[in-house]
Amino acid sequence: MPIIVNLDVMLARRKMRSKELADAIGISETNLSLLKQGHVKGVRFETLAAICRVLECQPGDLLEYRTEG
């Protein structure tokens, strides 16, 4: 998939664990893990906004487009 999720990078920069983020935004650790691995077909803007609020970042810090090939 050409969309890369850089959530691990932002968590490391903020010295935050996945569990802390999941608790702060109100989703399960399992769903956050699936998002981090890029195994989701979509993400709600509400969830994306909550992640950005907690990590103090922009959506572009979390998502990246790479051409395949």
Side-chain angles (χ1 to χ4, degrees):
M1 172 176 277
I3 301 295
I4 307 301
V5 180
N6 293 314
L7 189 51
D8 279 337
V9 174
M10 290 306 299
L11 284 168
R13 286 183 183 166
R14 301 300 189 254
K15 296 179 171 54
M16 183 179 282
R17 294 182 182 268
S18 295
K19 179 177 178 8
E20 293 175 79
L21 179 59
D23 290 343
I25 63 174
I27 67 171
S28 70
E29 288 182 72
T30 301
N31 285 339
L32 185 62
S33 178
L34 291 171
L35 176 60
K36 283 178 15 181
Q37 296 172 31
H39 294 296
V40 295
K41 292 186 179 188
V43 61
R44 291 178 179 215
F45 283 160
E46 181 180 325
T47 302
L48 185 58
I51 292 170
C52 289
R53 178 179 41 79
V54 172
L55 294 179
E56 298 178 349
C57 66
Q58 295 294 313
D61 297 327
L62 301 171
L63 303 173
E64 178 181 345
Y65 174 77
R66 291 188 193 160
T67 56
E68 296 183 73

